[in-house]
Structure formats: C-alpha cells, structure tokens
Amino acid sequence: MKITNKYNLPDTILNVLDRPTYSKGKAHISATELLNSPRIVQLKRKYWEFIETDASEMVWALFGSAVHNILEHGKGENHIVEQRLGTDIDGWRLSGAIDLQEEDEDGIGIKDYKVTGAWSVMNEKQDWHNQLNVYAYLVEKEAKKKVKSLQIVAIVRDWTARDTVKDGYPQSPIATIDIPLWPMEEREQYIRERVHLHSAAYFEMETNSELPQCSEEDMWEKPTSYAVIKVGGVRAKSVHKTLEEAQHALNQLKGYNLEVRQGDRTRCAKYCQVSEFCTQYKEYLSTKEQA
Ligand code: SF4
C-alpha cells in the first residue's frame, strides 16, 4: 500500500504506519478478515500495492495500536496478553491475536480493546459479537481452556461529560460491554460458513471469475427514502421506503410535498480502500447517475 502525506505529517508517524505490527503469518485468513466482506478481502489482496491512503486517514488506527501497546504494560499475574492462536478448519488456517485473557479458576474472560466513537458503543456492533466468539472458539479448541465471558473494552475517543444525560451514552470515556458467548457449535458453524465464503471468493479471484457481491450491510447502505413534508415545513410527516407508499400517503393530504432522500453506500463512498477497483461500486454509481 502507498501511504501519501498530504498534510506533511512528521516522519515518525509515516515510519510507524509503514511498519505494521500485526501479521497473520502463514494463515489463510485472520479473525478480523474472516468477519469482513470476502469481496473486500480479495480486492485488497489483488490490488494491495496500488491502494493509496493518506497518513491522515490512518490516525485512529495508529491511536488504536498505541492504546494496545500501552495497555500491554498493565498485564497482571493472571493475564495472557496478545496471544496468537491458530486453527485449521476445512483446509484453511485461521489465526487471531487476542488482546487480553483473564485466567480465573472458573475459566477465561476474553477482553478486546476498541478505540471507537460513542455512537458505536450506543449501537453495539454485530461484528464485535462475531469477533469475540471467534476468539472464544480459538481458546477452547486450541488452548483447551474454558471460556466464561466476553467483553469489549471501548475507549471512547469522542466522549464528552455533557452528553452523559443521553439515553445509553457511556458514563465514562472507557466503557466495558458484555458480549454474549455463543454455544461452541454455533461458533464453529459461524466460522465454517465464513471460511467457505472466503475460500470461494479466493478461488474466484484466482480464476478471474466474478467475485461475490458485497451485501447492503457490508456497504453500510442507506436506502433511498421518500418523505412527505408540509409545504414550507422542515420535518417530515411520514417517511416511506417506496415511492408508491409515499404517493399514496401524499394523496390523502393537502398542502404537502414529496421529498426524495437519496440513499448512499457510505462505506463504498468514504471508507472502502478498494472502491476504485470495485466493479460493483462503479456499476452502482453509473446507475445512480442515469436515474
Ligand atoms: S466499494 Fe463497496 S461494494 Fe466495492 S468492495 Fe468496497 S464496500 Fe464492497
């Protein structure tokens, strides 16, 4: 990957960004890649040397690494930090590095640090459940130790005391979130299904076939919606998923207009490193242009 430096950041920052601290070694896939869209993983693998990212866009990843490094120094006697575990499943090797395992008589408590926004804490991510349950699988299968609990330790980068009155807002800049532990069979089934999706995408990339499409969830898609708004007003009386529904609502009213709120694929538009190599996104943009 080429890292540009549009804002003339100091060399030390560039050097650190150029020296990644995590490698999946000889594994086919890491735990975090397993959760990701197979299309993104394969496009990154193919175009890695052509992907361009500015150093300024990597600041939160850098901050996350810094937090992980400093917290390693907080290791206690019953702690295992940054343990890397690997397992074989249907011919693929999966690896994962676990931030912290607290070993007690009744089992292991797994903790994963996240430097994240308050919004993510208030709208818990399914990815967190998936990732921690993959770690629980690795610990029970490979380290042969019982897992008793899973937790995210969120360091909330945009926390403000002023917002703590809001419902669900974290009460301190560090929030610990319990994550449900799935039964072992469910963890294994999840991993197996993801491995199959990724190995199929790998094969398709190797044979120059069409890659599987990203899902709406993968693309963080906000669908187009249709709002019925009073003439001269700002707030919608009602918002509809289809134009037909909105027209129907509009026909019942006098003095109202229809406003089309264009949807978007937020990840593709702003956060996907491979968007310029992605035919799915290019096709979406050209359809949108023609609409
Ligand atoms: S640009 Fe969008 S559709 Fe393409 S790989 Fe990225 S997230 Fe998926």
Side-chain angles (χ1 to χ4, degrees), residues 60-270:
W60 293 117
L62 181 66
F63 196 73
S65 304
V67 165
H68 279 77
N69 285 346
I70 204 77
L71 288 176
E72 272 191 64
H73 294 293
K75 182 178 181 296
E77 275 185 4
N78 65 332
H79 293 167
I80 304 167
V81 295
E82 293 292 339
Q83 185 182 32
R84 183 196 295 250
L85 291 170
T87 194
D88 293 312
I89 197 150
D90 295 343
W92 265 41
R93 182 112 190 121
L94 163 70
S95 83
I98 303 167
D99 289 344
L100 174 62
Q101 296 171 66
E102 289 176 339
E103 201 162 17
D104 293 316
E105 279 176 7
D106 57 342
I108 298 269
I110 293 178
K111 286 185 164 63
D112 192 69
Y113 304 122
K114 300 280 181 211
V115 174
T116 189
W119 190 91
S120 295
V121 175
M122 295 165 81
N123 300 274
E124 216 169 280
K125 292 172 156 186
Q126 182 59 41
D127 270 2
W128 292 354
H129 295 222
N130 301 343
Q131 185 185 356
L132 266 64
N133 276 284
V134 170
Y135 291 159
Y137 177 85
L138 289 171
V139 170
E140 287 197 350
K141 187 174 173 218
E142 296 302 327
K144 313 276 184 232
K145 291 174 184 166
K146 179 178 173 288
V147 174
K148 62 170 182 174
S149 65
L150 306 175
Q151 287 177 318
I152 292 286
V153 180
I155 290 121
V156 189
R157 61 185 185 220
D158 55 356
W159 187 87
T160 68
R162 191 185 58 231
D163 285 341
T164 52
V165 291
K166 288 184 188 163
D167 204 20
Y169 195 86
Q171 294 301 297
S172 100
I174 300 187
T176 303
I177 301 157
D178 291 326
I179 299 291
L181 177 66
W182 305 338
M184 189 62 172
E185 308 74 56
E186 201 179 318
R187 287 176 238 161
E188 179 158 330
Q189 190 188 346
Y190 171 77
I191 294 171
R192 186 157 272 136
E193 281 170 12
R194 295 301 302 173
V195 163
H196 289 178
L197 290 174
H198 281 279
S199 58
Y202 179 89
F203 178 79
E204 276 144 16
M205 182 56 98
E206 289 295 293
T207 53
N208 288 323
S209 312
E210 188 51 42
L211 285 173
Q213 301 257 303
C214 280
S215 65
E216 288 178 7
E217 207 185 345
D218 293 326
M219 300 181 291
W220 308 343
E221 177 154 338
K222 284 190 226 131
T224 298
S225 61
Y226 305 87
V228 175
I229 300 179
K230 195 167 192 164
V231 175
V234 183
R235 292 186 63 177
K237 180 173 175 59
S238 55
V239 181
H240 304 268
K241 286 184 182 164
T242 66
L243 183 58
E244 292 71 31
E245 270 181 32
Q247 284 288 2
H248 181 73
L250 192 65
N251 292 342
Q252 324 287 314
L253 299 161
K254 277 208 174 100
Y256 280 78
N257 277 335
L258 191 65
E259 181 185 279
V260 179
R261 295 180 174 170
Q262 280 299 338
D264 205 358
R265 295 180 172 177
T266 310
R267 189 180 197 178
C268 310
K270 293 188 189 146

Side-chain angles (χ1 to χ4, degrees), residues 39-40 43 214 219 268 272 274-275 278 280-281:
R39 184 178 187 89
I40 296 179
L43 287 174
C214 280
M219 300 181 291
C268 310
C272 182
V274 290
S275 58
C278 177
Q280 183 180 354
Y281 186 47

